[in-house]
């Protein structure tokens, strides 16, 4: 919570060239996406390359993409909140 607006969850996003992907959390009004990366789907080189490609596609469409790993979310939540608040404020 931490005073943040509630995001939309598991949202499919597209762009000029079609569907880009389904993202974990979206603040549409601010055009901010947050992806939370667990080891099951984001550990291999191929997974990281696919994530990078999708991030760049979203950024080309005007989205700010933030990625946080399991350790960030569970061990450094204050930093995650601070980073997200700053991104939302910059986009406002």
């Amino acid at each position: 919570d931490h005073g943040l607006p509630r995001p939309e969850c598991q949202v499919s996003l597209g762009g000029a060239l079609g569907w880009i992907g389904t993202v974990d959390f979206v603040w549409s009004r601010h055009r901010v996406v947050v992806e939370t990366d667990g080891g099951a789907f984001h550990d291999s080189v191929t997974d990281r390359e696919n994530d990078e490609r999708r991030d760049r596609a979203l950024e080309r469409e005007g989205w700010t993409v933030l990625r946080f790993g399991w350790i960030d979310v569970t061990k450094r939540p204050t930093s995650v909140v601070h980073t997200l608040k700053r991104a939302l404020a910059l986009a406002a």
Side-chain angles (χ1 to χ4, degrees), residues 2 68 72-85:
H2 298 283
F68 300 107
D72 297 319
V73 173
T74 60
K75 304 292 185 193
R76 297 187 281 266
T78 302
S79 177
V80 170
V81 168
H82 178 74
T83 301
L84 180 53
K85 282 184 175 182

Side-chain angles (χ1 to χ4, degrees), residues 36-87:
T36 51
D37 298 341
F41 299 105
H42 301 277
D43 264 359
S44 76
V45 171
T46 302
D47 292 336
R48 288 191 301 275
E49 288 173 349
N50 289 337
D51 290 342
E52 178 72 19
R53 231 183 330 274
R54 188 170 65 172
D55 290 354
R56 298 302 76 81
L58 289 166
E59 289 169 350
R60 281 191 300 275
E61 295 296 326
W63 292 93
T64 297
V65 180
L66 303 174
R67 277 193 179 274
F68 300 107
W70 175 254
I71 298 291
D72 297 319
V73 173
T74 60
K75 304 292 185 193
R76 297 187 281 266
T78 302
S79 177
V80 170
V81 168
H82 178 74
T83 301
L84 180 53
K85 282 184 175 182
R86 185 176 41 215

